Structure formats: structure tokens, C-alpha cells
Amino acid sequence: MNKPAVTPAAHFTNFIRNIIDTDLASGRYASRTWGGRPGPAAAHAGAPSDPARIRTRFPPEPNGYLHFGHAKSICLNFGLARDYGGVCHMRFDDTNPEKEEQEYVDSILAAVRWLGFDWSAHGTEHLYHASDYFNFMYQAAEYLVGAGHAYVDEQSAEELRATRGTLTEHGQASPWRERPAAESLARLREMRLGKHADGSMVLRAKIDMTSPNINLRDPAIYRIRKATHHRTGDTWCIYPMYAYAHPIEDALEQITHSICTLEFEDQRPFYDWLLARLSEGGLLARPLPQQIEFARLNLSYVVLSKRKLIQLVDEGHVDGWDDPRLPTLVAARRRGYTPEGFRLFAERIGVSKSDAWIDYSVLEECMREHLNEVAPRRTAVLDPVKLVIDNYPEGAAEECLAPNHPQKPELGKRALPFSRELWIEREDFMEAPSKGYFRLYAGNRVRLRYGFVIECTGCDKDAAGRVSAVHCNYFADSKSGTPGADIYKVKGNIHWVSAAHAYQCEVRLYDRLFKSPHPGAGERDFLLDLNPDAKKVISAQLEPSLQQAQPEERFQFERHGYFVADRIDSMPGAPVFNRAVTLKDTWQK
Ligand code: ATP
Ligand code: MG
């Protein structure tokens, strides 16, 4: 049966698109100028109007490998920019000196490119680093202090925690809250010069200790951290807090729609407060960016928390960050998942304001849909047993023609060598057939796909009673595609590979990493839910053409699923294959 083609980018509408449509219609961002690169108000003042109708950004912290949740965010942000004539900035949110490494930076860029996006537009590479804005962030902090909007607090970490209040109780004002601006400024400068120890003081915004929103109770905006940064080295020993840095990054880059996950909703009032203060001080250009929150991707049968992914790798439950079992994008690539499949998935799950679980089968179905379109068909016997055609001449061989894609005759046919001894799947023979079994058993006829009709005569067994070979005779006038071949009516149709010509190789059968839809639900150790059958390594017999497969070439192994030549372990002329996904959902209850 013909499957429907991959749904073209249908651009289902959603609440974010509605916001953008409204903003464009009202001209909310029409007055923006663009000075050619990110910068404060002065850098954009008098510059030409922004050629980008909207600006979005994808802002990962370079402290790990991207996972399937990030793919949702990438497709969303880059996709909106593409569809609205905008630009999406690739930004490293590298304000935290610890745990950030070049290795992660490189892998993140490669993953975004692999998904089919890039950050060059209007002759500019919109690749930015939050750490490039440290100077401005610091100047802005001095401005806030001078304007009475921030102060240096010398309470200890415990005191800060104890005076923050709770959801039901107000916070208490710090004894340092009303100190003169000049005194705070002097302290801030000492902090910057490294005169004080880590944790001995922080710079806090001065907002409202009685706010019901804890994020507005004088949040810390700068802290002392005598650590080497992977890009700025030892230039700084104070670093901005994320909540302070992020809105500034957006504003310097003239972002219009700053899209983030729901847990930042309570941060939005501070986001707006901070940008309002800095723009009224003339530091930032208006109109200001707006933060919009959407529900993060929660996907069943995997974990998407960085902490848990690190644990899986560090404790050796998987073989590194690109182990095809992991839900990272480097792993997905090795596994044979496709960028088109991810983009289709992102379109299909959409964006919403409420958290929900997406079943893993939705992702698998998107991969199948795309792979079905593009993957040429090949023959592979994964659990081989010999089939001997006793009436076929020994030493003889001929070719059978098989289509490369049943729905795409333009992809042509290939020749499968046929000979007296073939490999077939062990499960395609039964000594004592069960009811409704139409494949091989003594006396029954089947068609060898693209080849001849055969009649089974029996089998040989080894000392342990296991079938070691199946015997049959063939009908010389039954070859597929030859005149009169269709007078043979058989119910079974099985695949095969000529034993003398087969390419024997390693095939890895991957399945879901966890056997439970919500690993670790209810305080349970998530490791207990690992699926021990998520990886099986077998030795399979493949049609000879597969020996020439190039790394990352994808195929449908007929009746089995979609497979890819592993991009890491394949050698020239000796590929090994990974199963991306089975042909059908085997997990449905
Ligand atoms: P951590 O797990 O350390 O909190 P993170 O997953 O938030 O990190 P970031 O590098 O901060 O990782 O994320 C970059 C972007 O990807 C952010 O804008 C974030 O909102 C988005 N993102 C991360 N996880 C998901 C998810 N599960 N679904 C959708 N977007 C996500
Ligand atoms: Mg984060």
C-alpha cells in the first residue's frame, strides 16, 4: 500500500505565530534599526532599519550535548525566522565559567547545521557569545547602582537564603539595602578587581522584598567567581547571573521574540523590569524584546535531563554521547534518524502553553515517514538459516531484478545474484506449521521475492535438534517478471540472499533506551527502567551491494526496518549497520 508522502511544512498556526502576526500587523517592531552587529542603543541609533522582520535566537549553554528537546527549540526558533523573513541568532549563553567547553560548542554547531539550519543572513554570520557582552553587562550594573536600582549585599549565602521569604511569606530587607550608591559602587569595583572572596558579597537588583514573585525580591545579578572562562580567560572574576544576562543579550541583539520554556514564566517580570530600567537610562534600544514561554518537550521512554544523560554516559550505561540509544542529536544521527524526520516531528507536535507528554512512537513515525520516502530497499537476512534448492544446478548462478523503491520506479532496479544455496530467515520455516502460517513447511510453496516459486521438501537438523538447513525444489518457469510466472499462486513471499555472494556483517538492532514510558516515575531510580534489549549486536547476511554502502547511507531492509551505515565504525568496503527504526510500531499495547 502506498503511504502518504511526508507532510510538507504545513505551518500549522500556534499561539506564538499568532503573537508574531499581531506584532507585524501593528508595526510593533517596525521602527527597529540594526547597526550591523549586537550592541547598545548607541550602536543601533541612526542605523538603517532592520532587514530582519523578526529576530529570534537559539541560546544553548555550552555545557553538554544537544538532545531531542533542543531540536524542538531549534526547529521552532530557526523555523519562525525562516517563515517570517527574519533571522535566528545562534548564541552561546556562556556566562557560567564552569563546565563550559569548546568540545560542546563544536558539537552544538554541528547539530544545528545537521538539522538543516544556519545563522548567516544578509551577509552576516549571526553567531554570538554572551561572554562578548560582559563589558556591557558590567557597565549596565554600574549604571543600575548609580541610579539606585542595585546594591552590593554583604550578607552570607545562608543569610540571603533565610531572608528571601517563601511563597506565603514576604522577604526581609537586607541591612545593606539602603547603603549609599557610592558605597555600593566602590564595593562593586572591588569585587571586579578580585579584592573579595567568592560568596562574600553579591550585587542585587533593588526591586521589592514584599513581591509575591520571589524573583522580584532583590534578585542577585552579579556574583564573585574566581574561575577561568573558556573564552574570556581570567579577565573576569565576577560573572552575571543568568536572569540578568539573558534579557541583556536579547536586547543587545535586537531580538524581537525571545522564546523560552515555561519554567521561565516567573522570570518574565524581572526580564521586563531590567530592560525597562536600562532603556530608560538610554543604554538599550527600543522597542524591547518580549519573552514568550512554551511547553518544553517531554518524550516518553527516554530522559531529556542533562543531569541524567551525564549519569548514563559517566556510569557506562551507554557507550558515550553518540551511543545510538541516547536521545542526543549526535546519537540520533548515528542511529539513522534524519533531520527531515525531526523537522516533521517539531511541526507535528506543535507548541503549546501546557506541559504534556509526547509518546516516543510519534517521533518514530516521523522518522519512518521520511525514511520510507528516501531509503532505497535492500535485502538483509538477520537470523540466517540455509535454504538448499536441490534441483538447481550446483555452481550455477543468475540474476534476479529487484526494484530499488516500490513506489518510485524512476529509482530503477538492481540485480540480486541467485544460486543453489540461499540464506533465509529462520522464522520463515516451521517444521510443524501453526494455523495460518503461509511460509515454508514441507509440502508448501512460497515465492522467493523477485525470484522463483519453490516447494519445501523438508529440513536437516544438527545434533541438538536445531534446524541446520531447509530443502526445496524450484520451478524454473516461475521467475518473477518472466512470461507466465504469475500462474503460480502462493500465499507466502519471503526474502533471501545468495549464500555464495552475501556480505556478512555486524548489525546493531537498537530499540528504546527505557522499557517504561516514564523512567524513574515516583521517586524510583530511573536506571531500574533501562531496557536491557535496547541494543543487540548480530551477524547478518546482506545482499552484496550493501558492502559498498557509504557511511550514513540509509536503507530499508525489507520486512525489517530502516538501517544506516554507521558513520563511526564503518570501514571502506566494510560497513556495519545500525537499525534506526522498525517498519512497524512494536511497542503498541
Ligand atoms: P539544563 O538541562 O542544564 O537546564 P537546558 O536543557 O535548558 O539545560 P540550554 O542549553 O539552556 O539547556 O537550552 C538551550 C535552549 O533549548 C533553551 O532555550 C531551552 O529553552 C531549550 N530547551 C532545552 N530543553 C528543552 C526541551 N525539553 N524542550 C524544548 N526546548 C528545550
Ligand atoms: Mg538551561
Side-chain angles (χ1 to χ4, degrees), residues 392-436:
Y392 194 86
E394 259 178 88
E398 64 189 284
E399 287 182 339
C400 297
L401 288 179
N404 285 317
H405 197 299
Q407 287 105 48
K408 296 189 175 179
E410 68 276 14
L411 294 183
K413 295 188 173 191
R414 67 195 189 285
L416 298 176
F418 184 88
S419 65
R420 188 170 188 269
E421 294 197 359
L422 310 176
W423 293 111
I424 60 168
E425 299 290 345
R426 186 166 283 279
E427 62 159 40
D428 284 343
F429 170 78
M430 280 183 96
E431 212 182 349
S434 53
K435 198 162 171 284

Side-chain angles (χ1 to χ4, degrees), residues 227-372:
T228 304
H229 186 280
H230 79 119
R231 293 188 85 236
T232 58
D234 294 322
T235 308
W236 297 91
C237 61
I238 58 172
Y239 290 93
M241 304 298 287
Y242 179 86
Y244 174 77
H246 202 86
I248 293 179
E249 296 157 23
D250 286 343
L252 293 174
E253 294 181 17
Q254 298 278 73
I255 300 301
T256 55
H257 301 85
S258 175
I259 301 163
C260 62
T261 46
L262 280 178
E263 61 280 16
F264 293 98
E265 198 163 13
D266 291 345
Q267 290 283 1
R268 185 164 14 113
F270 177 69
Y271 184 102
D272 292 337
W273 178 91
L274 177 65
L275 295 186
R277 298 294 78 73
L278 295 177
S279 65
E280 73 195 17
L283 280 75
L284 294 174
R286 287 184 207 265
L288 293 166
Q290 63 177 311
Q291 175 179 305
I292 301 166
E293 307 87 14
F294 73 104
R296 65 169 45 237
L297 172 66
N298 294 312
L299 192 59
S300 65
Y301 294 98
V302 290
V303 292
L304 294 179
S305 128
K306 223 172 257 175
R307 186 180 57 76
K308 288 180 180 165
L309 293 174
I310 288 172
Q311 190 181 346
L312 289 170
V313 173
D314 284 355
E315 293 178 6
H317 302 290
V318 293
D319 311 322
W321 284 102
D322 63 353
D323 184 308
R325 287 169 289 185
L326 275 186
T328 58
L329 293 176
V330 274
R333 181 172 180 179
R334 260 191 97 173
R335 176 149 174 178
Y337 283 11
T338 68
E340 293 87 345
F342 276 110
R343 298 202 298 263
L344 179 62
F345 176 66
E347 241 0 293
R348 201 163 275 176
I349 60 175
V351 286
S352 80
K353 268 281 187 194
S354 54
D355 270 312
W357 282 84
I358 303 291
D359 195 74
Y360 200 81
S361 62
V362 177
L363 178 63
E364 291 177 321
E365 193 48 37
C366 290
M367 295 304 160
R368 277 188 201 107
E369 278 189 43
H370 177 241
L371 288 165
N372 176 52

Side-chain angles (χ1 to χ4, degrees), residues 121-260:
H122 311 112
T124 309
E125 295 285 312
H126 295 280
L127 171 62
Y128 302 116
H129 295 84
S131 57
D132 287 344
Y133 313 142
F134 280 167
N135 261 319
F136 177 86
M137 289 174 187
Y138 179 76
Q139 294 308 323
E142 287 209 349
Y143 165 78
L144 291 174
V145 171
H149 297 311
Y151 60 97
V152 171
D153 193 332
E154 299 182 34
Q155 293 186 100
S156 67
E158 294 88 273
E159 287 168 324
L160 288 172
R161 212 171 301 121
T163 53
R164 258 177 96 215
T166 63
L167 284 177
T168 51
E169 259 176 79
H170 290 166
Q172 290 145 39
S174 161
W176 305 98
R177 194 171 199 265
E178 302 304 334
R179 74 195 305 179
E183 203 180 293
S184 277
L185 195 56
R187 284 285 172 281
L188 177 59
R189 290 179 176 163
E190 289 164 14
M191 282 167 64
R192 185 191 172 170
L193 290 172
K195 302 224 160 122
H196 299 286
D198 284 20
S200 60
M201 51 187 74
V202 291
L203 181 68
R204 294 177 79 177
K206 191 172 178 179
I207 311 179
D208 180 3
M209 291 305 291
T210 67
S211 172
N213 184 340
I214 294 180
N215 299 295
L216 293 181
R217 294 180 192 165
D218 293 8
I221 59 181
Y222 257 99
R223 64 197 165 130
I224 305 171
R225 189 68 94 244
K226 292 183 176 146
T228 304
H229 186 280
H230 79 119
R231 293 188 85 236
T232 58
D234 294 322
T235 308
W236 297 91
C237 61
I238 58 172
Y239 290 93
M241 304 298 287
Y242 179 86
Y244 174 77
H246 202 86
I248 293 179
E249 296 157 23
D250 286 343
L252 293 174
E253 294 181 17
Q254 298 278 73
I255 300 301
T256 55
H257 301 85
S258 175
I259 301 163
C260 62

